[in-house]
Amino acid sequence: MIGRLFGSLSQKVPSLLYRVSLVMKPQVVFVLGGPGAGKGTQCSKIVESYGYTHLSAGDLLREERAREGSEFGQLIANYIKEGKIVPVEITINLLRKAMEAMMKENENKFRFLIDGFPRNEDNLQGWNRVMDGKADVKFVLFFDCSNEVCINRCLERGKSSGRTDDNRESLEKRIQTYLQSTRPIIELYEKQGKVRTIDASRSVDEVFADVKAILDKEG
């Protein structure tokens, strides 16, 4: 009897711990800026120095596109090629699963940089609908950079990245999408006092000095 009780209890402990770990909500920083603004580079440096987990919405979508047997692979490929924004349900589901997997693996890993999201009103409404009460958005890191600097950086990156969207035609579409769809989201968060703007046209180290000052202040 006691043996059976103990056995039953030991089976419940891992799932119990998992539920306890999810009581600590993910602490999220959204990272926004135009294509080529240096979001990925700066996120890598933040991870090294501050222990955040970096989740790139674009990378998660590209991984899902390449995953054998993915039901969304071709759909994602078509959207990316056209420089359009992938349906929100797909993106949020990938982000949610990635955060849950990380927190299940290590309950101390609850701080996340979400790079390249939310990109439009639909993204934001979807996030609020699915993640309301399940994650805390602390603030938005906005890497501000001129369109021409962004395009030149991406064209240079395209020589070695292998990304199908690092060409001038796709880039011009992506920048138009960013200006029409993402900038209004940044402005919305600005009204809530949640945006931390950084001049991203400078060198990597100069930009990161500003990032460090913000993160040290925010705690």
Side-chain angles (χ1 to χ4, degrees):
M1 177 73 180
I2 292 174
R4 281 204 306 274
L5 184 64
F6 182 79
S8 171
L9 188 62
S10 66
Q11 284 174 351
K12 289 180 181 175
V13 166
S15 62
L16 199 66
L17 288 174
Y18 177 42
R19 286 200 299 274
V20 168
S21 75
L22 289 186
V23 170
M24 169 58 82
K25 292 180 196 171
Q27 307 292 296
V28 171
V29 174
F30 286 142
V31 182
L32 294 175
K39 300 183 296 294
T41 300
Q42 293 299 325
C43 283
S44 296
K45 292 177 80 66
I46 294 168
V47 168
E48 277 177 37
S49 299
Y50 292 90
Y52 278 78
T53 297
H54 174 210
L55 297 177
S56 161
D59 286 350
L60 287 170
L61 288 166
R62 281 185 283 274
E63 285 166 16
E64 184 65 20
R65 176 184 62 181
R67 187 173 65 81
E68 195 172 337
S70 168
E71 61 181 304
F72 302 119
Q74 190 55 52
L75 179 71
I76 292 169
N78 292 341
Y79 273 87
I80 288 176
K81 188 178 178 186
E82 289 299 314
K84 293 179 181 175
I85 294 169
V86 174
V88 66
E89 291 79 11
I90 297 174
T91 308
I92 291 178
N93 190 44
L94 293 174
L95 287 167
R96 184 182 53 78
K97 285 199 294 190
M99 286 192 288
E100 285 181 359
M102 178 55 70
M103 290 178 71
K104 187 175 181 181
E105 185 182 307
N106 183 344
E107 62 185 27
N108 293 318
K109 288 282 191 180
F110 57 86
R111 297 196 299 172
F112 296 91
L113 297 165
I114 298 186
D115 165 8
F117 185 92
R119 292 196 173 198
N120 61 8
E121 181 68 27
D122 185 46
N123 276 187
L124 183 59
Q125 287 180 1
W127 174 272
N128 290 338
R129 189 169 60 247
V130 176
M131 301 302 293
D132 185 41
K134 296 174 186 170
D136 288 333
V137 177
K138 307 308 285 183
F139 57 93
V140 175
L141 265 182
F142 169 39
F143 291 98
D144 195 11
C145 196
S146 74
N147 295 346
E148 199 51 40
V149 169
C150 285
I151 286 174
N152 289 336
R153 283 179 179 174
C154 287
L155 290 175
E156 190 60 35
R157 180 177 69 187
K159 293 174 184 177
S160 58
S161 71
R163 282 178 52 169
T164 57
D165 55 351
D166 275 344
N167 62 75
R168 186 167 283 275
E169 187 182 355
S170 284
L171 283 165
E172 286 175 356
K173 288 179 184 175
R174 286 164 65 199
I175 282 177
Q176 282 309 306
T177 299
Y178 162 71
L179 292 173
Q180 291 166 9
S181 303
T182 309
R183 282 305 293 257
I185 300 302
I186 294 165
E187 287 160 13
L188 192 66
Y189 275 115
E190 269 177 334
K191 289 174 184 170
Q192 298 173 19
K194 282 196 165 185
V195 175
R196 311 292 178 264
T197 303
I198 293 164
D199 176 3
S201 64
R202 300 165 299 158
S203 73
V204 169
D205 289 341
E206 286 175 313
V207 172
F208 188 58
D210 281 2
V211 171
K212 283 182 72 173
I214 289 167
L215 292 177
D216 289 343
K217 184 179 177 184
E218 296 288 344

